[in-house]
């Protein structure tokens, strides 16, 4: 609810709820109360939707990156999946104001994502939306460009179609696999 709300401040309320969940887990003897990757993803999504001044966006980005590090270090919560990577790339695209830092973060995250076989349609869509063209071309250089029918009307000049290597999406649910990806970006 926080992520899609009209609130300007999304990161801080989401952080409070997320910390309550972590504290409940840490203080419970119930072994079934474990925040999972879905809870981490929901928190990261809230942060990715932060609006307002640059300092609040920077704070939200730090929360997202810190949460990703926590998820990577503590396997009891689950492993980052395609939704986590989608939220990460979205957050970097929306929240990072420094172009060099944004490119570096997106490149690192996308490389991790493809090496883990977790590139989904949403990850690719986020990458195309968040990424400078040169970096996008570098990151997607292993994709086979497909012929696009030149008789089709295109809403944009830079329409992209390509085939994604199978190992990039080997750990993605079948319905989310981007074997062929077509984007009007």
């Amino acid at each position: 609810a926080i992520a899609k709300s009209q609130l300007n401040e999304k990161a801080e309320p989401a952080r409070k709820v997320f910390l309550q969940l972590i504290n409940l887990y840490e203080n419970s003897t119930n072994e079934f109360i474990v925040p999972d990757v879905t809870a981490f993803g929901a928190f990261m999504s809230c942060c990715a939707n932060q609006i307002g001044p640059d300092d609040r966006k920077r704070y939200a980005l730090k929360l997202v990156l810190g949460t990703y590090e926590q998820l990577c270090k503590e396997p009891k919560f689950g492993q980052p999946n395609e939704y986590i990577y989608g939220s990460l790339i979205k957050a970097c695209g929306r929240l990072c104001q420094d172009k060099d830092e944004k490119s570096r973060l997106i490149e690192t995250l996308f490389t991790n994502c493809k090496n883990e076989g977790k590139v989904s349609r949403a990850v690719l869509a986020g990458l195309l939306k968040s990424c400078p063209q040169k970096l996008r071309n570098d990151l997607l250089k292993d994709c086979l460009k497909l012929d696009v029918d030149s008789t089709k009307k295109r809403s944009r000049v830079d329409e992209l179609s390509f085939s994604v290597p199978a190992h990039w999406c080997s750990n993605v649910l079948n319905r989310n696999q981007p074997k062929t990806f077509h984007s009007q970006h």
Side-chain angles (χ1 to χ4, degrees):
I2 295 171
K4 302 293 181 184
S5 73
Q6 296 299 315
L7 295 171
N8 283 341
E9 181 61 49
K10 296 177 190 323
E12 190 57 31
R15 185 186 73 82
K16 288 179 181 175
V17 171
F18 186 69
L19 287 177
Q20 286 176 343
L21 185 61
I22 297 293
N23 287 336
L24 180 64
Y25 162 71
E26 289 174 347
N27 295 322
S28 176
T29 57
N30 185 338
E31 62 191 57
F32 298 107
I33 300 179
V34 179
D36 63 4
V37 72
T38 304
F40 279 74
F43 172 60
M44 293 166 83
S45 180
C46 287
C47 291
N49 286 302
Q50 175 69 42
I51 56 177
D54 287 351
D55 65 319
R56 299 311 302 157
K57 290 179 181 178
R58 184 77 189 154
Y59 174 69
L61 181 62
K62 285 182 180 182
L63 290 175
V64 168
L65 295 173
T67 303
Y68 170 66
E69 288 177 16
Q70 181 181 12
L71 191 57
C72 290
K73 288 178 185 174
E74 299 186 44
K76 64 187 171 203
F77 298 127
Q79 294 298 310
N81 60 22
E82 65 267 26
Y83 302 106
I84 295 295
Y85 282 111
S87 291
L88 283 161
I89 290 171
K90 177 181 172 183
C92 291
R94 287 185 171 182
L95 304 174
C96 191
Q97 304 303 308
D98 180 279
K99 290 180 183 180
D100 291 336
E101 180 185 22
K102 180 189 293 190
S103 291
R104 181 186 55 77
L105 286 169
I106 290 173
E107 180 177 13
T108 300
L109 293 167
F110 185 76
T111 300
N112 291 349
C113 183
K114 83 175 180 181
N115 289 343
E116 293 174 19
K118 296 177 181 174
V119 176
S120 66
R121 292 179 182 275
V123 168
L124 286 172
L127 179 74
L128 295 174
K129 189 174 184 178
S130 303
C131 204
Q133 186 171 359
K134 182 185 179 330
L135 178 59
R136 178 177 66 206
N137 292 344
D138 288 345
L139 293 174
L140 298 176
K141 69 180 179 255
D142 294 335
C143 296
L144 178 67
K145 298 223 182 214
L146 302 175
D147 290 332
V148 178
D149 184 357
S150 60
T151 61
K152 286 183 183 178
K153 289 188 175 186
R154 297 183 187 161
S155 60
R156 293 185 174 211
V157 177
D158 55 344
E159 187 172 281
L160 300 173
S161 288
F162 49 87
S163 180
V164 177
H167 66 277
W168 285 18
C169 55
S170 60
N171 293 314
V172 174
L173 292 174
N174 206 23
R175 69 176 186 267
N176 297 327
Q177 286 187 353
K179 292 175 181 78
T180 301
F181 189 79
H182 181 74
S183 171
Q184 293 182 354
H185 179 77

